[in-house]
Amino acid sequence: MISKKQTSKRQKTPAEHLGGELRSLRKAHGLSLKQLAEKSGKSLSFLSKIERGLARPSITALQDIAEVLGVPIGWFFETEGPVAANERPYVVRAGRRRRLTYSGVASTDYMGFQDHLLSANLDGELAMGISRYEPGGSTGDDLYAHQGEEAGLVLEGEIELTLGDEVFVLRPGDSFSFPSKIPHRYRNPGQVTAVVVWANTPISLRR
């Protein structure tokens, strides 16, 4: 239960909100301020001021930072009106889900799928999301692997889950879990959109 003390917290300013989102995402990627500065071409002091809510970056500067961190620029901004201070760390309303993109890929639309974050942030030991795969959509032709674990539940349609040499076709109500070090990929072999809710180990903990 959220205490009354928490509900009385001061609402963050837009600059503080942006700074907190940047800090959370940077840490989720396992980057130091110095590394982000080198990759984005921005000074370390400037990035530090942004994270502390003491600087307001231009759209161009924020776009450069967003590209390094693999998210659309809208990731950093409020949507659908302000969020109560006590709610922000814990709750994500249906209309406020943020889309995930990946380093070096501006959009996964061409691959036929979209990921949205269900977790309130990427600071914890678990990230939760929801994916929509259009017919024929997949995570790519190649299998990929990384540290950590992942699990999920198919809500709609069909998902073909490849784990090494094994291939499983999952339907609504079917679930899965596996160590992410096993080479894997997801694909929708059906004729309708597939929807999957998943949880995995955040990037920063994949060591």
Side-chain angles (χ1 to χ4, degrees):
M1 180 179 293
I2 299 173
S3 68
K4 291 183 178 180
K5 183 177 180 180
Q6 286 176 299
T7 61
S8 63
K9 286 184 178 179
R10 178 180 66 85
Q11 188 80 18
K12 289 184 179 180
T13 66
E16 289 172 335
H17 168 76
L18 188 154
E21 293 295 330
L22 174 56
R23 183 186 306 107
S24 174
L25 193 57
R26 172 179 62 78
K27 289 183 176 180
H29 280 270
L31 295 175
S32 66
L33 270 174
K34 181 179 179 181
Q35 290 171 319
L36 180 57
E38 292 172 349
K39 290 176 178 292
S40 66
K42 310 305 173 191
S43 72
L44 190 153
S45 61
F46 179 55
L47 292 175
S48 177
K49 287 181 179 179
I50 295 175
E51 289 196 356
R52 289 180 288 147
L54 301 177
R56 296 183 179 182
S58 67
I59 294 298
T60 300
L62 200 55
Q63 182 64 56
D64 291 340
I65 295 169
E67 287 181 2
V68 172
L69 297 174
V71 297
I73 193 171
W75 178 278
F76 300 108
F77 300 112
E78 296 276 13
T79 58
E80 303 266 330
V83 179
N86 66 310
E87 184 171 299
R88 186 189 305 280
Y90 313 109
V91 177
V92 178
R93 300 295 180 181
R96 300 182 58 84
R97 295 173 187 163
R98 293 181 289 184
R99 183 172 178 181
L100 293 169
T101 57
Y102 303 94
S103 297
V105 180
S107 171
T108 55
D109 286 348
Y110 79 98
M111 300 171 75
F113 80 94
Q114 292 185 5
D115 286 342
H116 284 82
L117 188 66
L118 296 180
S119 303
N121 54 60
L122 292 169
D123 291 337
E125 297 184 3
L126 183 70
M128 186 175 180
I130 186 168
S131 299
R132 299 180 66 87
Y133 290 84
E134 298 304 321
S138 75
T139 51
D141 294 335
D142 299 328
L143 304 186
Y144 63 102
H146 50 83
Q147 295 300 311
E149 298 182 10
E150 52 198 277
L153 171 69
V154 179
L155 299 181
E156 301 175 20
E158 293 183 343
I159 284 293
E160 179 186 272
L161 171 62
T162 300
L163 294 175
D165 296 327
E166 301 281 354
V167 178
F168 306 93
V169 176
L170 308 175
R171 298 180 175 84
D174 293 340
S175 57
F176 59 88
S177 62
F178 60 90
S180 302
K181 65 182 180 182
I182 299 175
H184 57 280
R185 79 163 185 155
Y186 300 92
R187 186 177 77 90
N188 178 1
Q191 300 301 311
V192 298
T193 300
V195 180
V196 182
V197 169
W198 50 263
N200 65 18
T201 306
I203 294 173
S204 61
L205 299 179
R206 296 175 186 174
R207 302 301 185 196

